[in-house]
Amino acid sequence: MDTVLEIKNLGMSYDTTEGSVSAVDNVSFRIMNGEAMGLVGESGCGKTSLGMCIMKLLPENAKITNGEIIFDGEDIVPKTEDEMRMIRWKGVSMIFQAAMNALNPVYKVGDQIIEAIVAHENIKKEEAREKVRELYKLVGLSPERMENYPHEYSGGMRQRAIIAMALACDPKFIIADEPTTALDVIVQDEIIDEIKNIQKKLNMIMMYISHDISVIAETCDKIGVMYAGNFIEYADTFALFDNPLHPYTKALMSSFPSIEGPKKELKPVPGEPPNLLNPPRGCRFYPRCSYAEEICRNERPEFIESESGHFLACHRVI
Amino acid sequence: MGKYIIGRIIQIIITFFIVMSIIFLLFRIIPSDPSSFLLTPSMTAEAKETIRKQFGLDEPIAVQYFIYLKNFVHGNFGTSFYSGRPVMSIIMERMLNSILLITTAVIIAYIIGVSIGKAIAWKRGSKTEKFFVILGLWFYTTFTPWLGIMFLWIFSFKLKLFPLGGMITPEKWILDPSLMEKICDMGYHLILPLVTYVLLWFGGYMLLMRNSMLETLKEDYIVTARAKGLKEKVIKNKHAARNAMLPIVTAFAISVSFSIGGAVLIETIFSWPGIGRTIVEATLRQDYPLVQGAFAVITLVVLLANFVADIAYAYLDPRISY
Ligand SMILES: Nc1ncnc2c1ncn2[C@@H]1O[C@H](COP(=O)(O)OP(=O)(O)OP(=O)(O)O)[C@@H](O)[C@H]1O
Ligand code: SF4
Ligand SMILES: [Mg+2]
């Protein structure tokens, strides 16, 4: 299988008045052709920040401090805004977390999707419109709805339209950032099924961000666990559920007794995640870890392959 | 929408009616003799009699009020004391002159202000932005008569580039020049007051547009637009500016009301025979019919500007449905 996305040792931080927030640190993983990868972690651990790094859509106060993002064989970190424009939406597209405001209120939804197609493909507006009609059917929306404005859509419909928009340029890679948080449970399940089916059908690679590990388990082939900006464990979904190695992942699993069980807010371990302005010197999980040893306080654990295809950052297991 | 427009028109008529009533009261409270503001001692006895009849000055005040309203509805604002001409025709003429100067200036200031505001918000943090913010603030807070007089002194008096005031050169017009020459002569008189007005007004629009644009640029749909890989120009103009413009449309209507205050000052300084200067002159000459008429027309302009802004807003923002 081919590697489509490979991230090596990525670091990103935000400059704030109080100092530098290390939101992504020492992150490495790869996604193979056709795979869906789930990204799970508590609120504020840097999931969205990591997604935005891959699209290089960072706010002005953010910068990638080190590492490589190799997409389709090329490192995109040094790429200019103009070069990124070609990669965005055609190479990598995104289903946004805040679907509420992701659409421009003054334009018809259909036109906003057509706009994306016309910007990348050398086709006429009419052909683009036809394509959007197909996409609407694919995501379960009536094509007549293309003529409506965002405020005329319900929350679920808007989310479907945003999925259709993300698919508009047949992207190789799609990032879904908590695509269902704003929706009620029934609509959530429908949308998740929709995304899963489409991803398999169109054979895209996907990164599905959520703080709900049961959703990720349903949707994804691999799971990456993030904690305070670090990748701490990365493995096949079955391997991770069968044999979680990192203390944080273990706690996470035990707080979800069954994949089909009730969905809860992710709060597996007592205590709070560290302040990213001044994270612990060694393992960032150290203050909350019940297995912690002296070495954990001073030395950062490397993120390495402990078993075949199972990556981990913990001193104790190795 | 149709229903809303009809409702708004009724609202405008009622507001206009109330303002007219206030004007009626105001002008009847000031002098002790109600006939004194329609009759001048220099009139012939016959003329006085006609006016008395026309305005019902010998009737009780309630009847006078209805005659006053009836006259307004018929567009009869009476006769100017000073010139003896019908008030309506004076106002029409002065309105056209004001439109030529003030309306043109407001539109130019608006276009310039909005364009610069948009551009500097996009380049936020740059030196260009700081320069324009300071420049705009400086002009915006400058005392209008001071700037007007400075410009007159420098460009007209010292450098002799522009006339000292007025709208035409009467000596030239007596010779019956061609239309082209007339237009050039007017343009020559127009430039200095126009530039003064534009400078005084663009800053307000610019700062408003900049702020609105900075707010809009934080919106999620701007991130979406960037994520879609759209060109910078498209993101700036189609996605950001289009939304940032919405509050500026309302500001435009409000500024039409304020521009009348500006018109009074600018027209007086540059001796421009517009409606603003007419109010000043008529007040000084105690030409009450003319002042009354001018107030009525200005009220109507302000009401209509707000009406147009509301309709424009509804047209620009699909979320608003009346
Ligand atoms: N523009 C910014 N400026 C400064 N700090 C930021 C900015 N955006 C995010 N952060 C900080 O970076 C950290 C990671 O934020 P991020 O949004 O990536 O988390 P997340 O995992 O997506 O959280 P959630 O599940 O709530 O969406 C947080 O501590 C947050 O406070
Ligand atoms: S490195 Fe140490 S502190 Fe960190 S998770 Fe492993 S055992 Fe716990
Ligand atoms: Mg997030």
Side-chain angles (χ1 to χ4, degrees):
Chain A
M1 267 201 285
D2 295 337
T3 306
V4 181
L5 178 76
E6 180 170 12
I7 293 195
K8 286 188 192 163
N9 213 357
L10 187 69
M12 183 273 257
S13 64
Y14 295 103
D15 272 331
T16 68
T17 47
E18 290 152 86
S20 166
V21 176
S22 162
V24 176
D25 180 58
N26 199 18
V27 168
S28 304
F29 64 92
R30 58 172 72 183
I31 307 181
M32 306 294 186
N33 214 351
E35 272 181 350
M37 174 225 178
L39 185 59
V40 68
E42 278 165 286
S43 182
C45 70
K47 305 182 295 294
T48 301
S49 302
L50 175 58
M52 289 307 200
C53 282
I54 299 171
M55 292 204 85
K56 289 224 339 190
L57 271 182
L58 298 170
E60 278 156 37
N61 65 334
K63 65 170 187 296
I64 294 178
T65 47
N66 57 285
E68 288 167 50
I69 301 169
I70 298 160
F71 177 69
D72 226 9
E74 277 185 279
D75 184 8
I76 63 167
V77 173
K79 283 198 189 295
T80 64
E81 194 66 7
D82 255 351
E83 292 167 324
M84 279 313 294
R85 214 175 59 225
M86 306 300 173
I87 295 172
R88 287 184 191 143
W89 230 245
K90 189 122 190 67
V92 193
S93 79
M94 191 157 187
I95 301 170
F96 289 98
Q97 182 167 14
M100 208 54 200
N101 306 313
L103 293 166
N104 192 327
V106 302
Y107 296 112
K108 289 174 184 163
V109 178
D111 290 344
Q112 297 188 45
I113 304 177
I114 292 171
E115 176 189 46
I117 302 176
V118 174
H120 291 283
E121 254 129 303
N122 193 12
I123 61 172
K124 284 205 202 71
K125 221 171 162 182
E126 272 322 301
E127 294 171 68
R129 183 175 297 277
E130 198 41 51
K131 177 155 189 201
V132 178
R133 295 178 71 83
E134 292 307 314
L135 286 170
Y136 261 54
K137 285 182 207 151
L138 182 70
V139 299
L141 282 172
S142 150
E144 282 102 72
R145 280 290 180 176
M146 285 166 64
E147 299 306 316
N148 288 121
Y149 289 94
H151 72 277
E152 294 166 317
Y153 280 52
S154 70
M157 286 163 64
R158 216 172 299 161
Q159 196 60 60
R160 285 172 196 271
I162 283 175
I163 296 169
M165 183 155 85
L167 300 172
C169 298
D170 307 310
K172 284 210 178 81
F173 177 35
I174 199 162
I175 301 171
D177 189 357
E178 306 200 32
T180 61
T181 28
L183 307 172
D184 64 64
V185 183
I186 297 168
V187 185
Q188 270 189 17
D189 287 343
E190 281 174 22
I191 302 267
I192 291 165
D193 285 343
E194 204 82 71
I195 293 178
K196 196 163 68 178
N197 292 339
I198 290 169
Q199 187 260 333
K200 288 290 170 230
K201 195 160 140 193
L202 304 181
N203 196 33
M204 295 175 301
I205 70 166
M206 175 165 82
M207 185 163 103
Y208 191 104
I209 300 176
S210 176
H211 47 233
D212 188 339
I213 201 169
S214 61
V215 170
I216 292 212
E218 273 178 66
T219 336
C220 301
D221 311 304
K222 285 188 174 173
I223 299 181
V225 184
M226 252 184 122
Y227 181 79
N230 292 147
F231 245 51
I232 52 149
E233 191 159 3
Y234 182 54
D236 201 81
T237 302
F238 290 109
L240 197 84
F241 271 85
D242 250 12
N243 181 24
L245 296 175
H246 195 281
Y248 179 71
T249 318
K250 280 184 179 157
L252 239 158
M253 295 300 171
S254 60
S255 70
F256 287 95
S258 113
I259 294 178
E260 302 298 328
K263 288 162 190 166
K264 285 191 283 180
E265 191 61 29
L266 193 59
K267 190 85 175 138
V269 216
E272 293 297 323
N275 185 348
L276 295 178
L277 276 167
N278 187 18
R281 190 152 43 103
C283 173
R284 288 189 175 183
F285 188 55
Y286 169 78
R288 289 166 89 184
C289 182
S290 46
Y291 303 90
E293 292 159 17
E294 193 49 34
I295 183 177
C296 306
R297 183 155 69 144
N298 299 315
E299 266 176 59
R300 159 189 294 179
E302 293 280 321
F303 187 66
I304 47 165
E305 194 164 9
S306 74
E307 292 164 22
S308 168
H310 198 138
F311 295 80
L312 176 78
C314 178
H315 289 301
R316 201 184 65 99
V317 187
I318 302 146
Chain B
M1 190 76 179
K3 221 172 166 185
Y4 170 77
I5 291 178
I6 291 168
R8 268 308 253 118
I9 290 173
I10 293 172
Q11 208 182 327
I12 286 175
I13 293 171
I14 293 172
T15 316
F16 187 64
F17 170 79
I18 293 171
V19 174
M20 288 292 82
S21 306
I22 293 171
I23 293 175
F24 176 84
L25 281 176
L26 214 62
F27 279 79
R28 255 132 281 239
I29 286 167
I30 313 161
S32 51
D33 176 11
S35 62
S36 68
F37 50 96
L38 285 175
L39 302 174
T40 36
S42 61
M43 284 179 174
T44 62
E46 234 169 84
K48 282 183 186 173
E49 199 44 43
T50 326
I51 300 265
R52 266 184 214 287
K53 277 257 166 56
Q54 195 185 351
F55 290 89
L57 291 181
D58 30 19
E59 306 279 353
I61 191 130
V63 180
Q64 280 187 40
Y65 176 61
F66 283 107
I67 294 172
Y68 162 87
L69 288 182
K70 197 186 95 198
N71 282 338
F72 262 135
V73 170
H74 291 147
N76 180 0
F77 293 74
T79 310
S80 159
F81 291 167
Y82 182 76
S83 65
R85 288 172 57 200
V87 166
M88 193 61 179
S89 83
I90 300 180
I91 288 177
M92 281 308 177
E93 181 190 308
R94 302 293 164 88
M95 270 309 273
L96 276 179
N97 296 344
S98 277
I99 287 171
L100 185 64
L101 171 60
I102 305 297
T103 313
T104 315
V106 168
I107 291 171
I108 294 177
Y110 189 74
I111 294 170
I112 293 180
V114 166
S115 316
I116 299 180
K118 184 171 82 180
I120 61 177
W122 193 255
K123 299 234 174 298
R124 59 200 168 281
S126 67
K127 282 213 174 70
T128 322
E129 185 201 16
K130 283 200 191 83
F131 170 77
F132 276 107
V133 167
I134 291 170
L135 189 79
L137 269 177
W138 191 80
F139 278 118
Y140 187 63
T141 50
T142 296
F143 187 48
T144 307
W146 181 81
L147 191 74
I149 290 165
M150 282 308 282
F151 275 19
L152 266 181
W153 186 66
I154 296 169
F155 296 107
S156 300
F157 188 69
K158 284 283 173 199
L159 300 175
K160 307 231 182 309
L161 288 174
F162 297 105
L164 278 164
M167 202 170 123
I168 54 168
T169 318
E171 301 87 57
K172 281 192 191 164
W173 286 54
I174 290 170
L175 302 173
D176 195 26
S178 68
L179 184 66
M180 202 53 217
E181 283 172 296
K182 282 183 177 174
I183 291 174
C184 287
D185 187 46
M186 266 203 198
Y188 171 62
H189 283 80
L190 184 65
I191 291 175
L192 200 55
L194 188 78
V195 169
T196 312
Y197 203 98
V198 167
L199 284 176
L200 286 165
W201 279 77
F202 89 97
Y205 295 127
M206 184 189 83
L207 295 171
L208 261 176
M209 183 61 184
R210 171 181 164 273
N211 283 355
S212 181
M213 187 83 174
L214 287 178
E215 281 309 305
T216 310
L217 287 174
K218 288 183 202 145
E219 296 283 349
D220 291 334
Y221 53 77
I222 299 299
V223 178
T224 310
R226 285 180 65 202
K228 286 199 285 192
L230 304 180
K231 294 206 175 73
E232 288 234 325
K233 237 167 80 186
V234 177
I235 301 173
K236 180 168 71 174
N237 295 325
K238 190 173 165 192
H239 287 275
R242 176 68 165 68
N243 281 282
M245 279 296 288
L246 295 177
I248 315 295
V249 173
T250 319
F252 188 66
I254 297 166
S255 75
V256 167
S257 320
F258 282 107
S259 72
I260 290 159
V264 169
L265 294 172
I266 290 279
E267 289 177 358
T268 305
I269 292 161
F270 290 94
S271 321
W272 188 267
I275 198 89
R277 182 159 158 248
T278 303
I279 290 180
V280 177
E281 281 177 0
T283 309
L284 291 176
R285 289 171 183 150
Q286 304 200 316
D287 194 344
Y288 292 119
L290 188 52
V291 179
Q292 245 179 28
F295 276 178
V297 170
I298 287 173
T299 308
L300 208 58
V301 168
V302 170
L303 289 174
L304 286 179
N306 280 290
F307 176 63
V308 170
D310 279 357
I311 304 292
Y313 201 108
Y315 177 75
L316 289 174
D317 190 344
R319 282 165 297 184
I320 293 179
S321 58
Y322 294 121

